[in-house]
């Protein structure tokens, strides 16, 4: 019986043997249908990354944001920004190129996207509520709105059997839905309403549809923002969509593959709109591209005239290899090549260009070491990560260049433990080239069969520790005559002299067998060079057999390289890590003017990584490589001004506790939804001479939201499945020490967050000279304002109280109406030290959009009467066109009607001239002679065009075709200020 020695595998967490990242798609068929993906809508699939793993310095992720527009609305608290955002984590072979290109997202309007986990919720749902298990509703929904984002899931109410919504985020956003009763076999949502913490309502009536192998009919794959309403249901913004249906064939009666829902227009009534144009490319169907691409975005005023805009230019590049069964990658991936800014005449005046890493051979971690006994070099640091499609350069409109360079992630792996090093001796072949190497093959035995057929071989090493032993048997001479081996007879073959018979030859053979106590030792692997064994130290027997001869036995053993060994493992599988950003004054420069260098090594051990692997909670199990790397230490330097060191805590710094799910014991990971992004613990700032300038220490306490659902963190990288819950930041403390030589000034700042709305409720600051300032902020829940809470208005501060060194200093109170829009009525400031109080502003009349039409200042506390001010709102109730100090609305009557009408009609120079004349007539009205009047005109979405104060000295503001302020002149045309823009455009 052969003796088997167990092959000792080193536990190289994350080392991928022979895996080629870009081959992920090889198993796909050419019939790509995004509806079968976990994120089924190509244009919004990347948005989940912004919720789950925000780009940060702790994750080594590059993030680029390019603001495009910000469309105002009737509400001063709500604006509608549009921006391009690039996230390197979204450059993957399984991440489709969206409507603005690989890695880019267009952040506009609002969307509720979903991640399908397992089978579709709609398919599993039964009309009998009691038959629906809680596990049915495991899909996660992500919402992205202006200023707020989060996620939620549906939940079966165990008491009523009804289906409700459970938030998975620490906020007070209220989410409701309406079920579509037209499709009785499906749990289909008709619409969502999200009410933010200020009471504003976001209505999602529009949706896209996708098909799925699990579904008989198309399902609703994403919902899109349709309207924004004030708390009193007044609409302040609306959204329009381009909707197309794609059928399985050209026949309109064939099954629907998907229904697109592309944002085409954002309307801010009375102000203007944003218009988005798309280009549809039939050839990009069933490829890893959204077949729709944004071609142009225009900002228009309320009359439909163009204010400014952007044109999008794309290139198409093959980034990943094709396979015999799938040639879709040959059609390329969409890359945003140029962003052209255009003026009111739709002429280009700015250009931003983008350059990406080109196609190259697939990345291979090259960790396969065959059975060759030869020296193995220590691997490099994977410090050149030229992943295809990664953003390489941004060339700004002025020609300056920002160049992004990447490297592979690495994570901590302890190579210096005695057990690991002991196991490394017996792996059979090289598995860890950082630690292992082969000794040179050296002769240990001279074999001569005329002298002996058995020899003794000694294997050295620590007792009981398996050794990797390579034996090479080199024959130098065969003894005649050998063994005659007859060939197949051939009539034409004549025997040679002395041959006993024709058609044969002499065979020579000399081999060995390795034995231990007469048991044959099996080989671990064999090459044409040597045979490798896993042997315990001791004495072995070499038994020689064959026709006889002479040979030499050479032996080698795996040895340990000289330590210490780097405690890190580099890998491509978690994507790129930002290595540095180089800045050039032009695209022709070869030497950067500045370099930001990022380093992720442990501060206490520079040859060890500070990275650790984690994964997102409630994540689809379809993820080929779940997880990402989070670093505890990151330094950023620019080579001239010194460096900054960041220290982070990660989830491993917070305990796991015992927990029970469905009666089964499991671990619970506290605060994971927050700590998975890294928690800043310390920050050190050094100058170029490595002298410390500032030292900031951060202390953070969290609290679990026990009333929210459990979240599962799937098994990954050898870690078992665990559970967690959403949490919030309970309090923070920041201690700052600013140094001057060896002397420092110390300040502290403490913040406590309100458990009812997760907003700041208390701030305590201690200055360097010892002065303590404390502030308390109170909200609707603290003041028991039930009407506001019923309207979901939780985040509006109602009262702020301040103390200095323990003595009351001031108190500010905001009073609001108890219904409708909950408009602020008055602002009262109290001096709590002497008991005095003063109402600084008293708002008396609002219009239908919440614009103050009449208010008072310097209000007498006894009579409640103050100095009145009237605001006249024009341009469709969007801009103040007249401020009348000392008057009430009753004094104005209908005298302002004409200026309001003319402002509403102001669309060009001629109509503005008429408005200015009307304003002058209004100012000169004898009925208003006792009041101070200031008047204004505008080019909406550009800026103010005239201001005329009470003294009548008017200023006129002129803009160029690009919307930039050109001159400020007086009424006589004399230029008071002039602005010149000497921009050098890109070549």
């Amino acid at each position: 019986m052969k003796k088997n020695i167990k092959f000792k595998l080193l536990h190289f967490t994350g080392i991928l043997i022979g895996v080629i990242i870009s081959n992920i798609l090889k198993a796909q068929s050419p019939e790509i249908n995004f509806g079968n993906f976990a994120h089924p809508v190509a244009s919004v699939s990347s948005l989940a990354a912004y919720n789950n793993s925000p780009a940060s310095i702790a994750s080594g992720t590059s993030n680029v944001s390019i603001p495009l527009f910000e469309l105002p609305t009737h509400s001063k608290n709500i604006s509608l920004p549009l921006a391009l955002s690039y996230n390197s984590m979204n450059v993957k072979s399984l991440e489709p190129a969206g409507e603005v290109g690989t890695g880019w997202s267009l952040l506009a309007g609002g969307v509720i996207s979903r991640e399908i986990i397992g089978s579709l919720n709609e398919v599993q749902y039964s009309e009998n509520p009691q038959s629906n298990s809680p596990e049915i509703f495991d899909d996660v929904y992500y919402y992205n709105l202006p200023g707020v984002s989060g996620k939620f899931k549906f939940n079966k109410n165990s008491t009523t059997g009804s289906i409700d919504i459970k938030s998975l985020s620490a906020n007070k956003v209220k989410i409701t839905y309406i079920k579509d009763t037209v499709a009785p076999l499906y749990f289909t949502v008709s619409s969502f309403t999200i009410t933010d913490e200020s009471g504003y309502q976001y209505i999602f009536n529009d949706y896209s549809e996708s098909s799925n192998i699990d579904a008989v009919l198309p399902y609703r794959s994403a919902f899109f923002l349709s309207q924004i309403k004030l708390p009193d249901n007044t609409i302040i913004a609306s959204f329009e969509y381009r909707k197309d249906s794609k059928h399985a064939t050209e026949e309109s009666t064939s099954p629907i593959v998907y229904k697109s829902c592309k944002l085409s227009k954002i309307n801010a009534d009375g102000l203007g709109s944003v218009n988005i144009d798309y280009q549809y490319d039939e050839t990009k169907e069933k490829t890893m591209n959204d077949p729709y691409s944004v071609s142009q975005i225009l900002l228009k005023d309320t009359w439909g005239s163009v204010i400014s805009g952007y044109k999008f230019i794309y290139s198409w590049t093959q980034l990943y290899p094709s396979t015999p069964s799938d040639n879709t990658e040959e059609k390329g991936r969409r890359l945003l090549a140029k962003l052209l800014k255009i003026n009111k005449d739709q002429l280009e005046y700015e250009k931003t260009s983008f350059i990406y890493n080109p196609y190259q051979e697939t990345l291979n971690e090259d960790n396969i070491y065959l059975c060759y006994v030869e020296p193995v070099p220590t691997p490099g640091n994977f410090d050149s990560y030229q992943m295809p499609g990664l953003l390489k350069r941004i060339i700004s409109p002025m020609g300056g260049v920002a160049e992004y360079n990447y490297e592979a992630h690495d994570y901590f792996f302890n190579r210096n433990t005695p057990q690991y090093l002991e196991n490394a001796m017996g792996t059979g072949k090289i598995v860890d080239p950082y630690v292992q190497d082969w000794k040179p093959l050296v002769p240990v035995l001279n074999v001569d069969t005329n002298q002996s057929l058995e020899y003794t071989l000694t294997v050295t090493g620590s007792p009981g520790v398996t050794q990797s032993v390579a034996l090479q048997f080199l024959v130098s001479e065969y003894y005649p005559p050998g063994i005659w081996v007859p060939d197949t007879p051939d009539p034409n073959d004549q025997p040679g002299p002395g041959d006993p018979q024709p058609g044969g030859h002499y065979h020579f053979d000399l081999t060995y067998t390795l034995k231990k106590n007469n048991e044959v030792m099996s080989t671990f692997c064999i090459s044409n060079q040597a045979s490798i064994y896993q042997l315990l130290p001791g004495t072995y027997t070499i038994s020689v057999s064959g026709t006889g001869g002479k040979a030499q036995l050479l032996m080698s053993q795996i040895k340990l390289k000289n330590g210490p060994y780097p405690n890190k493992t580099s890998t491509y599988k978690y994507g790129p890590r930002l290595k540095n950003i180089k800045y050039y004054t032009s695209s022709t420069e070869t030497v950067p003017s500045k370099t930001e260098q990022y380093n992720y090594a442990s501060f206490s051990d520079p040859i060890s990584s500070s990275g650790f692997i984690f994964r997102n909670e409630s994540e689809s199990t379809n993820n080929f490589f779940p997880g990402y790397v989070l670093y505890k230490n990151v330094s950023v330097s620019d080579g001239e001004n010194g460096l900054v060191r960041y220290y982070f805590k990660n989830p491993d710094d917070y305990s796991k506790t015992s927990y029970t799910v469905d009666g089964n014991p499991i671990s619970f990971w506290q605060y994971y939804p927050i700590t998975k992004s890294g928690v800043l613990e310390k920050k050190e700032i050094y100058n170029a001479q490595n002298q410390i300038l500032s030292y900031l220490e951060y202390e953070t306490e969290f609290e679990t939201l026990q009333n929210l659902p459990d979240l599962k963190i799937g098994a990954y990288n050898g870690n078992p499945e665990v559970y967690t819950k959403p949490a919030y930041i309970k309090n923070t403390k920041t201690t700052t020490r600013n140094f001057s030589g060896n002397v420092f000034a110390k300040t502290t700042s403490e913040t406590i967050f309100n458990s009812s709305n997760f907003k700041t409720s208390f701030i305590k600051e201690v200055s360097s000279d010892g002065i303590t300032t404390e502030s308390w902020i109170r909200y609707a829940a603290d003041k028991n304002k039930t009407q506001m809470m019923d309207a979901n208005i939780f985040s509006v501060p109602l009262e702020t109280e301040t103390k200095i060194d323990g003595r009351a200093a001031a108190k500010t109170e905001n009073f609001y109406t108890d219904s409708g829009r909950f408009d602020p009525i008055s602002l009262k400031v109290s001096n709590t030290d002497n008991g005095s109080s003063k109402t600084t502003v008293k708002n008396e009349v609002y219009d239908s959009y919440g614009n103050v039409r009449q208010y008072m200042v310097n209000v007498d506390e006894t009579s409640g009467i103050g100095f009145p001010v009237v605001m006249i709102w024009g341009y469709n109730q969007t801009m103040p066109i007249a401020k009348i100090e000392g008057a009430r609305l009753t004094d104005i009557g209908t005298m302002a009607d004409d200026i309001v009408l003319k402002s509403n009609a102001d669309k060009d120079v001629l109509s503005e001239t008429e408005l200015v004349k009307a304003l002058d007539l209004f100012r000169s009205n004898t009925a208003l002679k006792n009041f101070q009047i200031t008047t204004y005109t505008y080019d909406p979405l550009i800026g103010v065009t005239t201001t005329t104060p009470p003294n009548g000295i008017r200023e006129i503001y002129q803009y160029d075709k690009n919307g930039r302020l050109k001159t400020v002149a007086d009424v006589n045309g004399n230029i008071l200020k002039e602005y010149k823009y000497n921009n050098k455009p890109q070549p």
Side-chain angles (χ1 to χ4, degrees):
M1 177 178 178
K2 292 185 178 181
K3 183 176 180 182
N4 293 318
I5 297 179
K6 187 177 180 181
F7 172 37
K8 295 185 178 180
L9 286 173
L10 301 186
H11 299 288
F12 286 65
T13 308
I15 289 184
L16 197 62
I17 307 299
V19 171
I20 300 177
I21 300 297
S22 59
N23 283 351
I24 300 172
L25 280 174
K26 284 187 177 180
Q28 286 184 254
S29 72
E31 297 292 320
I32 293 173
N33 175 15
F34 297 130
N36 293 320
F37 285 31
H39 298 281
V41 182
S43 61
V44 300
S45 65
S46 61
L47 296 179
Y50 294 90
N51 268 304
N52 282 331
S53 305
S56 71
I57 193 173
S59 61
T61 310
S62 63
N63 185 45
V64 177
S65 182
I66 302 177
L68 302 179
F69 303 117
E70 185 152 2
L71 183 64
T73 70
H74 276 289
S75 171
K76 63 180 181 297
N77 297 320
I78 295 289
S79 62
L80 306 172
L82 286 86
L84 287 174
S85 182
Y86 180 86
N87 190 328
S88 58
M89 294 178 70
N90 288 326
V91 182
K92 306 172 185 175
S93 57
L94 280 178
E95 186 71 45
E99 60 194 7
V100 287
T102 299
W104 291 96
S105 298
L106 176 62
L107 306 182
V111 63
I112 299 176
S113 59
R114 69 190 289 184
E115 180 174 12
I116 299 171
I117 299 177
S119 297
L120 277 174
N121 288 178
E122 292 90 334
V123 174
Q124 299 183 82
Y125 175 75
S126 169
E127 285 298 308
N128 179 6
Q130 300 306 320
S131 67
N132 293 319
S133 65
E135 291 77 18
I136 286 178
F137 300 102
D138 48 8
D139 288 1
V140 176
Y141 292 77
Y142 300 87
Y143 55 90
N144 292 78
L145 302 169
V148 61
S149 62
K151 54 187 178 180
F152 65 89
K153 65 189 301 185
F154 286 99
N155 177 70
K156 176 189 175 185
N157 189 306
S158 58
T159 303
T160 65
S162 63
I163 308 303
D164 54 23
I165 286 177
K166 286 290 187 181
S167 173
L168 304 181
S169 301
N171 58 38
K172 293 296 290 184
V173 164
K174 178 183 177 182
I175 307 171
T176 59
Y177 75 96
I178 297 174
K179 183 176 179 291
D180 191 337
T181 59
V182 178
L185 296 179
Y186 288 80
F187 176 74
T188 301
V189 174
S190 175
S191 68
F192 288 98
T193 296
I194 296 180
T195 306
D196 71 12
E197 297 157 326
S198 297
Y200 294 95
Q201 301 170 64
Y202 298 82
I203 315 299
F204 293 81
N205 290 326
D206 294 281
Y207 52 83
S208 61
E209 291 187 331
S210 301
S211 61
N212 181 285
I213 57 175
D214 294 332
V216 177
L217 298 173
Y219 65 94
R220 294 176 186 176
S221 46
F223 284 78
F224 297 88
L225 185 59
S226 306
Q227 295 176 331
I228 301 177
K229 296 181 179 180
L230 298 177
D232 67 347
N233 290 319
T234 299
I235 298 172
I236 60 171
S238 61
F239 303 80
E240 300 176 22
Y241 294 87
R242 170 179 171 174
K243 298 181 180 181
D244 298 317
S245 294
K246 177 66 177 177
H247 292 261
T249 69
E250 293 183 1
E251 297 293 331
S252 60
T253 56
S254 65
I256 292 177
V257 179
Y258 67 80
K259 289 183 179 180
S260 63
C261 188
K262 296 293 186 180
L263 179 62
S264 59
K265 189 175 184 180
I266 304 174
N267 297 295
D269 186 40
L271 281 160
S273 65
V274 173
N275 297 258
I276 305 175
D277 296 330
Y278 296 86
Q279 182 175 351
Y280 172 73
D281 187 346
E282 173 75 24
T283 66
K284 298 306 183 289
E285 291 283 1
K286 300 178 182 179
T287 72
M288 289 299 289
N289 294 278
D290 187 332
Y292 294 85
S293 60
V294 174
S295 59
Q296 179 175 261
I297 302 178
L298 297 177
L299 177 66
K300 297 182 179 181
D301 63 20
T302 190
W303 302 98
S305 299
V306 172
I307 302 297
S308 62
Y310 291 90
K311 290 185 176 181
F312 295 71
I313 309 298
Y314 302 98
S315 62
W316 295 90
T317 303
Q318 181 177 352
L319 300 180
Y320 305 100
S322 297
T323 67
S325 62
D326 180 4
N327 66 347
T328 56
E329 287 299 334
E330 294 179 6
K331 297 181 180 180
R333 298 282 181 111
R334 178 184 296 114
L335 297 174
L336 179 61
K338 296 177 183 179
L339 182 67
L340 308 179
K341 191 170 185 179
I342 56 179
N343 61 20
K344 61 190 301 182
D345 294 331
Q346 301 193 48
L347 298 175
E348 173 194 335
Y349 72 95
E350 283 187 2
K351 178 175 67 176
T352 303
S353 302
F354 308 94
I355 298 174
Y356 304 84
N357 285 341
Y359 174 84
Q360 64 171 29
E361 292 301 317
T362 54
L363 296 171
N364 191 340
E365 297 193 2
D366 198 24
N367 288 321
I368 301 176
Y369 299 92
L370 302 176
C371 292
Y372 294 110
V373 183
E374 54 190 24
V376 178
T378 301
N381 294 322
F382 292 65
D383 56 358
S384 180
Y385 195 108
Q386 301 300 320
M387 180 177 176
L390 274 176
L391 180 62
K392 179 69 173 179
R393 283 188 155 202
I394 299 178
I395 305 175
S396 72
M398 299 303 104
V401 176
E403 179 182 280
Y404 297 82
N405 296 295
Y406 304 88
E407 59 192 355
H409 282 282
D410 56 43
Y411 56 90
F412 180 82
F413 179 74
N414 193 347
R415 287 184 167 84
N416 291 279
T417 65
Q419 186 61 54
Y420 182 83
L421 297 177
E422 180 180 297
N423 290 347
M425 301 298 292
T427 57
K429 61 179 180 179
I430 299 297
V431 180
D432 186 351
Y434 289 100
V435 172
Q436 301 167 297
D437 204 355
W438 284 105
K439 295 179 180 178
L441 281 163
V442 296
V444 291
L445 290 175
N446 290 313
V447 173
D448 187 339
T449 57
N450 287 338
Q451 297 181 7
S452 177
L453 295 177
E454 290 193 349
Y455 298 85
T456 299
L457 177 70
T458 301
V459 175
T460 60
S462 300
V465 178
T466 301
Q467 305 292 307
S468 300
V469 178
L471 298 179
Q472 186 178 33
F473 194 71
L474 298 178
V475 178
S476 58
E477 181 182 352
Y478 290 107
Y479 291 148
I483 301 173
W484 178 258
V485 179
D487 294 334
T488 302
D490 185 344
N492 298 319
D493 187 21
Q494 299 298 319
D499 288 346
Q501 60 184 8
H505 64 275
Y506 285 102
H507 172 72
F508 299 95
D509 181 40
L510 194 62
T511 60
Y512 75 93
T513 303
L514 180 66
K515 298 179 180 179
K516 177 76 171 180
N517 299 327
N518 291 323
E519 290 186 18
V520 176
M521 309 306 296
S522 60
T523 56
F524 172 78
C525 63
I526 300 174
S527 71
N528 57 5
Q529 181 190 35
S531 297
I532 299 177
Y533 302 83
Q534 292 175 295
L535 306 174
L536 290 170
T539 301
Y540 294 81
T541 299
I542 298 291
S543 295
V544 181
S545 59
T547 59
K550 292 182 179 180
Q552 196 174 53
L553 185 71
L554 285 72
M555 184 172 75
S556 174
Q557 290 181 238
I558 283 183
K559 68 174 182 177
L560 298 180
K561 293 181 178 179
N562 295 328
Y565 308 107
N567 291 325
K568 66 178 180 181
T569 294
S570 297
T571 179
Y572 290 126
K573 71 179 183 179
Y574 295 116
R577 180 179 77 181
L578 186 60
K579 179 182 179 182
N580 59 51
I581 305 175
K582 295 181 178 180
Y583 299 92
Y584 301 84
T585 56
S586 73
S587 58
T588 60
E589 296 291 327
T590 58
V591 178
S593 59
K594 176 184 174 183
T595 300
E596 287 181 8
Q597 190 74 35
Y598 295 80
N599 191 292
Y600 306 88
S602 168
F603 292 152
S604 60
D605 181 10
I607 65 172
S608 296
S609 174
S610 69
F612 295 84
I613 300 172
F614 301 97
R615 74 172 294 176
N616 292 308
E617 73 281 4
S618 298
E619 187 176 49
S620 170
T621 55
N622 295 334
N623 195 337
F624 192 85
F625 284 140
Y628 57 92
V629 182
L630 194 65
Y631 295 92
K632 293 177 69 71
N633 297 157
V634 183
S635 67
V636 183
S637 62
D638 65 8
E640 295 180 359
N641 300 317
L643 62 87
V644 181
R645 284 183 168 183
Y646 299 89
Y647 299 74
F648 295 93
K649 288 184 176 181
N650 66 28
D652 287 333
D653 294 305
Y654 300 88
S655 62
K656 295 188 183 82
T657 59
S658 298
Y659 197 57
T660 301
V661 175
D662 297 330
N664 300 313
I666 202 165
S667 293
F668 182 87
W669 210 337
Q670 296 189 92
Y671 321 132
Y672 190 89
I674 298 177
T675 61
K676 68 174 185 178
S677 298
V679 179
L680 187 59
E681 181 182 21
K682 192 165 54 176
K683 179 180 176 181
E684 298 169 345
I685 303 174
Y686 296 84
N687 63 17
Q689 289 72 44
N690 205 33
Q691 298 171 323
I692 191 164
L693 300 178
S694 295
Y695 175 95
L696 294 88
E697 189 174 10
Y698 305 88
E699 301 172 52
T700 309
E701 185 179 354
F702 308 104
E703 187 164 308
T704 298
L705 295 168
Q706 299 292 350
N707 61 317
L708 295 188
D710 291 332
L711 302 173
K712 182 171 70 174
I713 307 168
Y716 68 97
N717 203 52
N719 296 304
E721 177 181 291
V722 296
Y723 278 77
T724 187
K725 280 180 177 288
Y728 77 100
I729 299 174
K730 187 176 181 180
N731 57 67
T732 64
K733 181 179 179 180
T734 303
T735 303
T736 303
R737 295 174 176 86
N738 293 316
F739 289 82
S740 178
N742 294 324
V743 180
F744 64 85
K746 176 183 174 182
T747 61
T748 61
S749 176
E750 299 178 51
T751 302
I752 296 176
F753 295 89
N754 194 315
S755 60
S756 67
N757 63 2
F758 316 117
K759 304 298 181 183
T760 300
S761 63
F762 173 76
I763 300 173
K764 179 180 178 181
E765 297 177 337
V766 181
S767 66
S768 59
D769 53 5
I771 297 175
T772 300
T773 302
E774 298 170 289
S775 297
W776 290 261
I777 301 96
R778 301 181 180 96
Y779 304 87
D782 305 308
K783 305 290 289 184
N784 197 31
K785 295 291 185 180
T786 56
Q787 295 93 335
M788 297 185 77
M789 290 187 287
D790 289 344
N792 212 61
I793 303 176
F794 286 94
S795 65
V796 176
L798 301 182
E799 182 179 289
T800 301
E801 184 178 354
T802 303
K803 292 183 179 180
I804 299 176
D805 287 337
R807 297 179 58 187
K811 183 178 181 181
T812 302
E813 296 176 271
N814 291 284
F815 296 92
Y816 288 79
T817 57
D818 291 331
S819 62
R821 287 186 307 268
F822 297 91
D823 296 318
I825 300 172
S826 62
L827 176 65
K828 179 179 285 188
V829 177
S830 303
N831 187 329
T832 50
D833 191 22
N834 58 25
S836 65
S837 63
K838 181 179 181 181
T839 300
T840 57
V841 177
K842 187 175 182 180
N843 300 320
E844 297 183 295
V845 182
Y846 286 87
D847 68 12
S848 58
Y849 286 105
N851 299 314
V852 180
R853 297 185 64 203
Q854 180 178 299
Y855 64 94
M856 292 190 297
V857 295
N858 301 322
V859 179
D860 182 83
E861 296 302 314
T862 303
S863 65
I865 299 174
F867 183 75
V869 179
V870 169
M871 301 297 297
I872 305 299
W873 292 82
Y875 294 92
N876 301 297
Q877 295 176 261
T878 63
M879 304 287 184
I881 59 174
K883 178 181 180 182
I884 310 161
E885 299 173 88
R888 294 181 174 277
L889 286 170
T890 54
D891 299 318
I892 306 302
T894 61
M895 287 184 284
D897 290 358
D898 185 54
I899 62 174
V900 171
L901 290 173
K902 283 186 167 58
S903 72
N904 294 344
D906 179 10
K907 64 176 182 178
D908 51 27
V909 174
L910 182 61
S911 55
E912 183 171 303
T913 301
E914 292 301 312
L915 172 59
V916 171
K917 290 178 181 179
L919 288 170
D920 288 342
L921 286 174
F922 178 79
R923 294 166 56 85
S924 62
N925 193 313
T926 56
L928 305 177
K929 64 180 181 180
N930 294 324
F931 309 130
Q932 298 288 304
I933 302 175
T934 304
T935 57
Y936 313 87
T937 62
Y938 306 86
D939 279 344
L941 304 180
I942 295 178
V944 62
T945 53
T946 68
T947 60
T948 309
N951 61 14
I953 302 176
R954 179 175 297 145
E955 287 191 346
I956 301 171
Y957 302 83
Q958 293 184 322
Y959 301 84
D960 64 18
K961 291 183 178 182
N962 301 333
R964 300 173 300 193
L965 183 60
K966 185 170 61 174
T967 61
V968 180
D970 63 20
V971 70
N972 297 314
N974 298 314
I975 295 178
L976 306 177
K977 294 180 182 179
E978 185 175 14
Y979 299 84
K980 291 186 179 294
Y981 302 90
N982 299 314
N983 297 332
K984 178 184 178 183
Q986 284 188 36

